[in-house]
Amino acid sequence: MARSQVFEHSSASEAARAIIDVANVHYSIDVAGRPLHILKDVSLRAESAEVVAIVGPSGSGKTSMLMLLAGLEQPTEGRIVVNGQDISRLGEDELALFRRRSLGIVFQSFHLIPSLSALDNVSLALEIAEPDLSLKDVRARAAAALESVGLGGRLDHRPAALSGGEQQRVGLARAMVANPRLLLADEPTGNLDQATGAVVIDLMFDLARKNGTAVVLVTHDPGLAARADRVFTMTQGELVDTTSESK
Ligand SMILES: Nc1ncnc2c1ncn2[C@@H]1O[C@H](COP(=O)(O)OP(=O)(O)OP(=O)(O)O)[C@@H](O)[C@H]1O
Ligand SMILES: [Mg+2]
């Protein structure tokens, strides 16, 4: 894809500004009539081309944080600006458009469509993101994305005929195929052996550096976190910059 397409909505000066600007966000949900305070006064900025890792114990709020960044949940308090848009103020239609055009997500579980082949799973995401592309271009770019994650020989496999790690890589190809401004990845290497995990991480760094995508990745792997530009630690819903301790 031409770089001009990637930056079609932003001037050079805008490209240098924060892709994510989260300020003093609280997130509570109601559990059996009582509020459960999941995120507490969380702030986070990420620039274009920056890779940010979030580490922290199970249940600390990492996935919840990604859900808010994706606009899939709304903060109870505070502001979440992504790519210049305050996503807590968007309506459902605008949010859907934001997710389609600006966002790639790799979930902790893969969420592939079981009845579609790997190629069709990735093609569908690109068709939705860029409805004006020809079918030929869609399939060529989807195939290239799958090749880049090492799955050129598995294009016609449905998810059930792929290993867990292969499914995760299809998920990654799907998240990256439309060159999003923001990529959110929840344990993207959790199901992969070390060598495949390293390939997947290299691809995410490539996307960040070449396309200016901001990447927020949740990981339990300290080696992986240390490669990120900045590292944040989530502890019981509080997010702290621990970059200096992680390097
Ligand atoms: N819909 C929900 N209803 C009730 N509790 C929830 C809900 N969603 C999240 N929680 C709780 O919020 C806390 C944070 O959950 P979250 O999934 O964000 O943790 P996490 O840091 O991603 O953990 P893990 O590393 O295990 O994936 C947990 O204690 C979880 O049980
Ligand atoms: Mg999680």
Side-chain angles (χ1 to χ4, degrees):
M1 179 198 239
R3 292 191 61 133
S4 59
Q5 266 176 289
V6 177
F7 292 120
E8 69 184 345
H9 301 298
S10 52
S11 68
S13 62
E14 278 177 322
R17 82 177 169 206
I19 302 285
I20 298 173
D21 190 358
V22 174
N24 308 106
V25 159
H26 292 259
Y27 175 54
S28 298
I29 56 171
D30 191 86
V31 179
R34 295 181 50 189
L36 176 66
H37 205 165
I38 296 179
L39 296 179
K40 300 163 189 163
D41 201 21
V42 165
S43 297
L44 174 70
R45 267 175 74 94
E47 311 285 330
S48 176
E50 197 170 29
V51 178
V52 171
I54 300 179
V55 299
S58 177
S60 58
K62 304 180 299 294
T63 296
S64 303
M65 177 80 194
L66 294 191
M67 298 293 269
L68 291 177
L69 288 172
L72 292 166
E73 299 291 349
Q74 294 297 331
T76 317
E77 239 180 85
R79 184 174 52 99
I80 301 181
V81 177
V82 179
N83 207 17
Q85 279 184 305
D86 185 344
I87 59 169
S88 38
R89 286 167 186 264
L90 297 182
E92 272 310 311
D93 290 352
E94 291 167 311
L95 261 179
L97 211 60
F98 152 74
R99 275 189 223 109
R100 262 183 247 161
R101 290 200 181 143
S102 308
L103 190 66
I105 310 179
V106 184
F107 293 98
Q108 217 166 356
S109 49
F110 323 116
H111 296 300
L112 300 176
I113 298 173
S115 59
L116 296 184
S117 68
L119 184 64
D120 288 339
N121 263 285
V122 178
S123 296
L124 181 63
L126 184 55
E127 275 173 56
I128 290 171
E130 295 181 42
D132 296 336
L133 278 183
S134 73
L135 190 60
K136 189 165 160 258
D137 286 349
V138 165
R139 298 187 82 75
R141 271 178 54 190
L146 283 162
E147 269 156 34
S148 75
V149 296
L151 291 178
R154 295 285 184 276
L155 300 185
D156 297 324
H157 285 232
R158 289 186 185 174
L162 295 166
S163 73
E166 287 171 341
Q167 291 178 54
Q168 182 66 299
R169 282 185 278 159
V170 175
L172 185 69
R174 178 184 56 187
M176 299 198 312
V177 71
N179 294 328
R181 301 291 289 144
L182 173 62
L183 180 72
L184 304 175
D186 203 348
E187 295 271 358
T189 59
N191 300 287
L192 304 179
D193 62 82
Q194 214 163 19
T196 313
V199 169
V200 160
I201 291 309
D202 288 343
L203 286 164
M204 294 186 11
F205 274 87
D206 267 9
L207 187 75
R209 305 305 192 224
K210 289 182 187 155
N211 293 307
T213 299
V215 176
V216 179
L217 84 98
V218 167
T219 181
H220 280 119
D221 179 345
L224 173 51
R227 287 183 59 190
D229 299 310
R230 285 189 302 146
V231 184
F232 287 80
T233 302
M234 186 78 83
T235 312
Q236 294 186 357
E238 293 181 26
L239 191 68
V240 175
D241 189 335
T242 50
T243 309
S244 55
E245 297 152 43
S246 308
K247 299 277 176 185

